[in-house]
Amino acid sequence: MTERYEVVVVGGGAAGLSAALVLGRARRRTLVVDAGEPRNAPAAHLQGFLSRDGMPPAELLAVGREEIARYGVELVPDRAVDAVRDAGGEFDVTLAGGRTVHARHLVVATGLKDELPEVAGLAGRFGRDVLHCPYCHGWEVRDQAFGVLATTALSVHQALMVTQWSKDVTLFLHEVAEADLSDDDLRRLAAAGVAVVPGRVAEVTVEADRLTGVRLADGSAHARQALFVAPRAAPRNDLLRRLGAELRETPFGAYPVIDERGLTSVPGLWAAGNASGFAEQVINAASRGYRAGAAINGELLFADLDAAVAAGSGTGGAAVAAGSGTGGAAVAAGSGTGGA
């Protein structure tokens, strides 16, 4: 038997939990489906979240789950494997465990997966001393010897950005040819004091559980203490695709076209957090979820009011109209009599 909810939120990260918190406080019957695969799981701490700076990501999620439970929001550890939109414009969501749930509105907050370059030893250090976001981790490795692993032309931008946290930066071209660097790139790199090393990186070197450098395919070794890399973003957008949401291609993957609230091109279908864009750090993801939750509550409220008005149209059932000409409604009763 299909269980019915006003809102189903797929994804139990910062965005999904924030949306669910708003909806729970608005007294909406809400279900969160959480596959338990947060993007920031490799990181020991989250940074830049006001009042939660330095908190372990798992702790933030645990607190969030406790908070939504206080408002009657249900959470199920499962994966949404399919979703269809019915004739009434609502959604049936199938879970991997075999359960089917129905939602008037559906929030996709499934995030994305980081796919790292195939360099020996790289994945095991990700989130520790192999990093991707200087705003997330730059302070913790400030003034150390940085490397930047170039995988696209955008890696030049990354190398320039991280000079805010260290003046000892080396750009390893890896998958980028020297000829692909523009004159502006070269001038800016020189002005920032960034060294440029051509050739592919074969492995990262580690001693005593700390990154010590990189070794190139030609055998040369370069000492470094932190390595920045731009992973390939793989948005978890299967549900959005299945439901026909319009997607836009970006250098970081395909993301849904949404309005300022998070509504996709499909009525009733919302996206929040890294399911809606690549650069949604935790605090931004939480904000996106909050905005979507508040907008959904308003949509539900006015849909129900409009349905009630339509149901009473022409029958005398609407409270304001009921007294028109009869004196039966409080608003109309005093009209022209001084009684209101």
Side-chain angles (χ1 to χ4, degrees), residues 195-217:
V196 179
V197 176
R200 292 188 68 85
V201 172
E203 64 174 341
V204 299
T205 57
V206 179
E207 294 180 12
D209 198 30
R210 293 189 63 85
L211 180 79
T212 57
V214 301
R215 193 180 310 280
L216 271 60

Side-chain angles (χ1 to χ4, degrees), residues 22-101:
V22 173
L23 290 161
R25 287 176 55 83
R27 310 177 76 175
R28 296 295 179 184
R29 187 162 191 250
T30 303
L31 174 71
V32 176
V33 180
D34 183 20
E37 297 174 343
R39 181 189 184 192
N40 60 1
H45 305 94
L46 61 87
Q47 312 294 346
F49 196 129
L50 189 64
S51 83
R52 294 297 179 264
D53 188 66
M55 174 182 277
E59 184 177 335
L60 179 75
L61 298 183
V63 171
R65 289 192 288 267
E66 292 175 359
E67 289 177 347
I68 66 170
R70 291 205 295 264
Y71 300 103
V73 174
E74 299 176 46
L75 185 145
V76 57
D78 208 333
R79 183 185 306 277
V81 295
D82 196 11
V84 295
R85 194 160 177 255
D86 65 20
E90 298 183 350
F91 303 90
D92 288 310
V93 183
T94 302
L95 308 187
R99 182 178 175 186
T100 300
V101 293

Side-chain angles (χ1 to χ4, degrees), residues 160-175:
L160 295 172
M161 286 295 299
V162 301
T163 61
Q164 185 68 27
W165 288 268
S166 174
K167 299 307 177 186
D168 183 359
V169 179
T170 298
L171 175 63
F172 298 97
L173 292 183
H174 190 54
E175 296 179 358

Side-chain angles (χ1 to χ4, degrees), residues 103-188:
R104 295 175 64 187
H105 284 248
L106 178 62
V107 181
V108 176
T110 44
L112 59 82
K113 181 179 180 181
D114 289 309
E115 296 180 349
L116 296 168
E118 293 186 4
V119 172
L122 190 76
R125 306 304 305 177
F126 189 55
R128 302 168 71 184
D129 35 32
V130 171
L131 311 165
H132 75 288
C133 172
Y135 292 104
C136 302
H137 306 288
W139 174 265
E140 283 65 40
V141 295
R142 64 194 182 280
D143 299 326
Q144 295 183 21
F146 289 1
V148 177
L149 187 69
T151 53
T152 73
L154 293 174
S155 297
V156 171
H157 175 78
Q158 187 177 37
L160 295 172
M161 286 295 299
V162 301
T163 61
Q164 185 68 27
W165 288 268
S166 174
K167 299 307 177 186
D168 183 359
V169 179
T170 298
L171 175 63
F172 298 97
L173 292 183
H174 190 54
E175 296 179 358
V176 176
E178 288 183 83
D180 292 336
L181 301 182
S182 69
D183 290 342
D184 281 344
D185 289 337
L186 293 171
R187 283 192 287 266
R188 286 170 176 160

